């Protein structure tokens, strides 16, 4: 392979971050703020689209605040007050909880613009962003097997270049070619979800609650209505459109049988016509993406490589939320790297880096174990239907469920619900 050599200073750094989605940009931001030299490599050019519900819970809002992002309405962010849950013939509106640890509002923002803002914020902090930089194989030390850099194709002309750093962060999403090249494969015993979504012109675009449907009905046929596996969402975007989508888990018997784009169309066809969720009001194609959940790729650190976000399977199995955990894992990884960088010896640095998987498991391990049990239950649409019918009639129970599903509790000094959820997470195995 012929490689174009670039000036060493341009292509060498303290840390290489592969992927400038929420996980990668957050990692790069916090590393750069701490004074490290960071290369942030993104295979496409901004702005670029990603499949997402575009709804951000208070967990994600907290991370945006920590990055200094302007999240005002004047800057184009649409705030939401909580979650509206529909199922079992019941419609329940729940506000985000009042907590010391998290704000009491969520946000909505399209992913093409959202990711762009995070990447630019990392740049402002000092990270060096390379767009149209398609990373290929890792560069390995022949003696130790440690990653010491990456091969990449840069620019529209796809120049072959190399980048070098003693540490590399894989933030390259569910496909994470870099992790696979380092021998880290997906765990088949962990849940995987699929999300499909599209946008419609709709009068509901300024809804100040995120809307979640616990039952998906196919009412197209002449016979009996059919209950479909999964859950649906409707998020008003504030720009004249609604993001309408559904999520389904691989624990469902129908996971491989059904065309989920057709399922989404069937669900939308059951909506009131004046909402605008009709084919003629669709503003873009139906797109789908995988949701890697509950630490489905491990270990999260090995031989100079750290996994963050979807690359490490950080999606919350309770609700399919990925952005908050991508950003949180990026901040955790950055903190560990900064501490390791300050150690005087290679052995000391390695000891500090080995802490990263332990921090992740201490932070999320027990909660994700509870989530895996939850996923097995709701994979059966009948179970989901019964839970919706019984649970939604008890507002106090649903308030508890919202805290559990959204992972919104105060770690200390919280109410009884917080203590129960935190207690369950602590005693559950941290696998």
């Amino acid at each position: 392979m012929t490689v174009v050599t670039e000036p060493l200073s341009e292509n060498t750094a303290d840390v290489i971050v592969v992927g400038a989605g929420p996980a990668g940009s957050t990692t790069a931001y916090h590393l750069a703020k701490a004074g490290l030299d960071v290369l942030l490599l993104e295979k496409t050019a901004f702005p670029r689209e990603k499949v997402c519900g575009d709804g951000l819970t208070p967990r994600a809002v907290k991370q945006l605040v920590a990055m200094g992002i302007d999240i005002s309405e004047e800057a184009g962010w649409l705030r939401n007050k909580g979650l509206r849950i529909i199922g079992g013939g019941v419609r329940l509106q729940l506000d985000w909880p009042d907590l010391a640890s998290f704000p009491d509002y969520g946000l909505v923002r399209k992913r093409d613009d959202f990711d762009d803002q995070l990447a630019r914020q990392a740049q402002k902090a000092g990270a060096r962003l390379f767009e149209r930089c398609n990373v290929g194989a890792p560069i390995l030390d022949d003696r130790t097997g440690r990653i010491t850099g990456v091969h990449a194709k840069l620019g529209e002309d796809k120049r072959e270049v190399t980048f070098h750093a003693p540490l590399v962060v894989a933030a390259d999403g569910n496909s994470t070619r870099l992790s696979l090249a380092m021998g880290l494969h997906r765990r088949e015993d962990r849940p995987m979800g699929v999300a499909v979504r599209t946008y419609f012109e709709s009068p509901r675009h300024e809804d100040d609650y995120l809307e979640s449907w616990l039952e998906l009905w196919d009412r197209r046929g002449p016979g009996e209505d059919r209950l479909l596996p999964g859950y649906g969402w409707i998020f008003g975007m504030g720009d004249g459109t609604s993001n309408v989508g559904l999520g389904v888990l691989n624990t469902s018997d129908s996971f491989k049988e059904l065309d989920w784009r057709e399922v989404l169309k069937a669900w939308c066809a059951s909506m009131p016509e004046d909402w605008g969720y009709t084919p003629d009001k669709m503003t873009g194609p139906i797109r789908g993406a995988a949701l890697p959940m509950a630490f489905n790729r491990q270990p999260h650190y090995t031989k100079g490589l750290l996994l963050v976000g979807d690359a490490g399977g950080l999606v919350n199995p309770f609700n399919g939320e990925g952005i908050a955990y991508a950003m949180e894992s990026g901040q955790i990884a950055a903190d560990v790297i900064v501490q390791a960088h300050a150690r005087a010896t290679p052995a000391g640095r390695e000891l500090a880096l080995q802490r990263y998987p332990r921090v992740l498991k201490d932070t999320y391990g027990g909660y994700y174990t509870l989530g895996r049990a939850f996923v097995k239950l709701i994979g059966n649409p009948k179970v989901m239907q019964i839970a919706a019918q019984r649970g939604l009639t008890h507002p106090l129970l649903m308030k508890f469920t919202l805290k559990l599903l959204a992972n919104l509790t105060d770690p200390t000094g919280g109410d009884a619900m917080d203590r129960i959820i935190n207690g369950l997470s602590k005693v559950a195995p941290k696998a």
Side-chain angles (χ1 to χ4, degrees), residues 20-23 46-56 108-118 197 199 237 243 289 291 310 322-323 326:
F46 292 106
R48 53 104 169 100
E49 188 178 24
K50 287 281 185 178
V51 175
C52 185
D54 300 327
L56 304 170
V108 173
R109 188 92 183 203
K110 279 194 174 179
R111 276 294 299 274
D112 56 359
D113 183 50
F114 177 84
D115 286 16
D116 190 8
Q117 287 208 33
L118 265 59
R197 68 98 176 98
Y199 295 95
M237 300 303 300
N243 179 318
L291 301 175
D310 286 7
I323 289 177

Side-chain angles (χ1 to χ4, degrees), residues 1 5 32 36 60 65 82 113 127 222 238 243 281 296 382:
M1 180 174 70
T5 13
L36 273 66
V65 171
D113 183 50
N243 179 318
K281 296 291 186 180
N296 80 334
K382 289 293 182 185

Side-chain angles (χ1 to χ4, degrees), residues 144-186:
T144 64
R146 289 180 69 88
I147 189 168
T148 60
V150 294
H151 295 285
K153 293 181 179 178
L154 183 62
E156 293 184 2
D157 57 350
K158 298 182 179 179
R159 287 183 299 128
E160 291 182 334
V161 296
T162 58
F163 296 94
H164 301 271
L167 288 174
V168 178
V169 176
D172 48 348
N174 174 59
S175 59
T176 186
R177 289 186 298 165
L178 195 58
S179 302
L180 291 171
M182 290 286 288
L184 301 179
H185 296 279
R186 183 167 75 86

Side-chain angles (χ1 to χ4, degrees), residues 25-62:
S25 291
T26 304
T27 307
Y29 170 84
H30 288 291
L31 288 171
K33 286 288 282 186
L36 273 66
D37 185 17
V38 187
L39 290 169
L40 180 57
L41 312 181
E42 166 59 35
K43 69 179 179 181
T44 60
F46 292 106
R48 53 104 169 100
E49 188 178 24
K50 287 281 185 178
V51 175
C52 185
D54 300 327
L56 304 170
T57 70
R59 286 194 80 97
V61 176
K62 181 177 181 177

Side-chain angles (χ1 to χ4, degrees), residues 10-233:
E10 277 189 23
N11 287 19
T12 303
D14 296 320
V15 185
I16 293 169
V17 179
V18 179
S25 291
T26 304
T27 307
Y29 170 84
H30 288 291
L31 288 171
K33 286 288 282 186
L36 273 66
D37 185 17
V38 187
L39 290 169
L40 180 57
L41 312 181
E42 166 59 35
K43 69 179 179 181
T44 60
F46 292 106
R48 53 104 169 100
E49 188 178 24
K50 287 281 185 178
V51 175
C52 185
D54 300 327
L56 304 170
T57 70
R59 286 194 80 97
V61 176
K62 181 177 181 177
Q63 290 299 312
L64 291 169
V65 171
M67 286 182 66
I69 301 281
D70 179 1
I71 55 170
S72 66
E73 293 184 21
E74 293 75 22
W77 297 83
L78 182 67
R79 294 194 177 193
N80 57 73
K81 299 175 181 176
L83 184 66
R84 183 183 304 115
I85 304 173
I86 297 170
V90 179
R91 173 190 176 98
L92 187 63
Q93 206 155 268
L94 297 166
D95 289 346
W96 297 120
D98 288 319
L99 299 168
S101 304
F102 299 97
D104 62 352
Y105 60 91
L107 295 168
V108 173
R109 188 92 183 203
K110 279 194 174 179
R111 276 294 299 274
D112 56 359
D113 183 50
F114 177 84
D115 286 16
D116 190 8
Q117 287 208 33
L118 265 59
R120 302 307 170 199
Q121 197 73 352
Q123 264 190 308
K124 288 178 191 174
R128 292 185 282 142
L129 174 64
F130 284 75
E131 297 177 65
R132 293 191 178 90
C133 183
N134 195 352
V135 171
I139 299 170
L140 304 179
D141 184 298
D142 292 335
R143 294 175 299 106
T144 64
R146 289 180 69 88
I147 189 168
T148 60
V150 294
H151 295 285
K153 293 181 179 178
L154 183 62
E156 293 184 2
D157 57 350
K158 298 182 179 179
R159 287 183 299 128
E160 291 182 334
V161 296
T162 58
F163 296 94
H164 301 271
L167 288 174
V168 178
V169 176
D172 48 348
N174 174 59
S175 59
T176 186
R177 289 186 298 165
L178 195 58
S179 302
L180 291 171
M182 290 286 288
L184 301 179
H185 296 279
R186 183 167 75 86
R187 289 184 58 161
E188 298 296 333
D189 62 339
R190 298 299 158 100
M192 176 71 79
V194 168
V196 293
R197 68 98 176 98
T198 188
Y199 295 95
F200 294 95
E201 292 178 11
S202 172
R204 304 191 66 209
H205 71 100
E206 289 188 319
D207 193 349
D208 53 6
Y209 282 81
L210 302 179
E211 192 165 278
S212 180
W213 291 61
L214 302 187
E215 296 171 328
L216 301 177
W217 290 99
D218 182 355
R219 295 188 168 98
R220 292 175 299 175
E224 187 178 341
D225 293 343
R226 184 165 67 124
L227 182 61
L228 302 167
Y231 67 95
W233 70 76

Side-chain angles (χ1 to χ4, degrees), residues 368-388:
Y368 282 178
T369 297
L370 297 175
R372 297 204 313 273
F374 174 79
V375 158
K376 287 180 182 176
L377 282 174
I378 65 166
N380 183 333
K382 289 293 182 185
V383 172
M384 177 73 104
Q385 184 183 22
I386 292 168

